[in-house]
Amino acid sequence: MTDTTHIVFLLFPGITQLDFTAPAQALSRMPGAVLAGAAARFDPIATDSGFAILPTHDFASAPQADILCIPGGHGVIEALNDAATIDFIARQAAGAEWVTSVCTGAFLLGHAGLLQGKRATTHWGYTHLLPLVGAEFQPARIVEDGNIVTSGGVTSGLDFALTLIARIQGDAVAQAIQLAIEYDPAPPFPGGHPDRAPEAVTAGLKARVYDAAAARMEAALRS
């Protein structure tokens, strides 16, 4: 890479805010990083958190990414059916040194043909759907396969960003950024994944949210 590293995030309506802002916060501190948020139009992008994000570029004006990052969110289902979005991902990925996703952004990579035969991960509620885009699920928070890096749900985007910074500029740079943002997690409950969460909590959340959400995702992927 050159001294300047162009990092392009895809933005779309219904994006999960932290899928974008967590890795963006860490990556923005990498020496030489220049971030862009690209959307189909310059209109504000409604997030799942009740506020909007203003893109810096539309698809036509976005710079070629050195690092392409595709966040997730419930809006992925609509984005899967948007030809301009999928074309933008494919075009950018062809020239990127690193192609990455957070959470269900993996399905956008997959729909663009980028996960065929690759090991990958996504949010735990959707991992069973990865074979629909030609990927092999690997049970890990961060999965690297060549220049493709996928990460699990939401907060894993921060781990992904620090992992990638270490690959590009070394452990010391990544550790300094981790220290600067005081990323020293000590969650109040040891239950951020179904492997560790109480069974009743996992079952309740699946019934309320993820069974139906995964069914909608599957229908979109099969359509």
Side-chain angles (χ1 to χ4, degrees), residues 189-218:
F189 308 105
H193 189 274
D195 289 348
R196 292 171 292 281
E199 185 175 343
V201 173
T202 299
L205 185 57
K206 279 176 56 61
R208 289 194 310 275
V209 178
Y210 290 110
D211 287 341
R216 291 192 299 271
M217 183 74 77
E218 181 173 4

Side-chain angles (χ1 to χ4, degrees), residues 4-8 27 30 32-36:
T4 297
T5 301
H6 289 283
I7 304 168
V8 177
L27 288 165
M30 185 174 71
V34 177
L35 271 62

Side-chain angles (χ1 to χ4, degrees), residues 11-158:
L11 301 179
F12 53 87
I15 192 173
T16 291
Q17 172 262 325
L18 199 61
D19 283 11
F20 163 52
T21 55
Q25 183 65 66
L27 288 165
S28 70
R29 295 178 180 236
M30 185 174 71
V34 177
L35 271 62
R41 292 170 293 278
F42 283 100
D43 300 333
I45 298 293
T47 73
D48 66 349
S49 300
F51 58 83
I53 296 171
L54 192 64
T56 60
H57 296 78
D58 62 9
F59 290 162
S61 65
Q64 171 57 54
D66 297 308
I67 300 170
L68 176 65
C69 186
I70 311 300
H74 290 301
V76 163
I77 292 173
E78 286 72 31
L80 284 168
N81 294 313
D82 184 74
T85 296
I86 300 303
D87 180 66
F88 175 76
I89 294 169
R91 286 189 290 106
Q92 282 281 339
E97 295 200 28
W98 294 93
V99 177
T100 73
S101 67
V102 179
C103 198
T104 53
F107 295 106
L108 291 171
L109 289 185
H111 206 55
L114 299 168
L115 293 185
Q116 194 67 40
K118 298 289 187 178
R119 292 173 288 106
T121 193
T122 188
H123 186 285
W124 59 263
Y126 303 84
T127 54
H128 63 290
L129 300 178
L130 284 170
L132 294 180
V133 292
E136 175 189 347
F137 169 55
Q138 180 171 324
R141 192 163 167 86
I142 311 296
V143 175
E144 300 178 54
D145 192 331
N147 74 329
I148 306 285
V149 184
T150 55
S151 56
V154 194
T155 60
S156 64
L158 193 48

Side-chain angles (χ1 to χ4, degrees), residues 166-203:
R167 294 286 178 272
I168 296 169
Q169 296 197 357
D171 289 359
V173 172
Q175 288 171 337
I177 292 171
Q178 180 175 340
L179 177 60
I181 62 176
E182 200 172 343
Y183 179 46
D184 186 26
F189 308 105
H193 189 274
D195 289 348
R196 292 171 292 281
E199 185 175 343
V201 173
T202 299

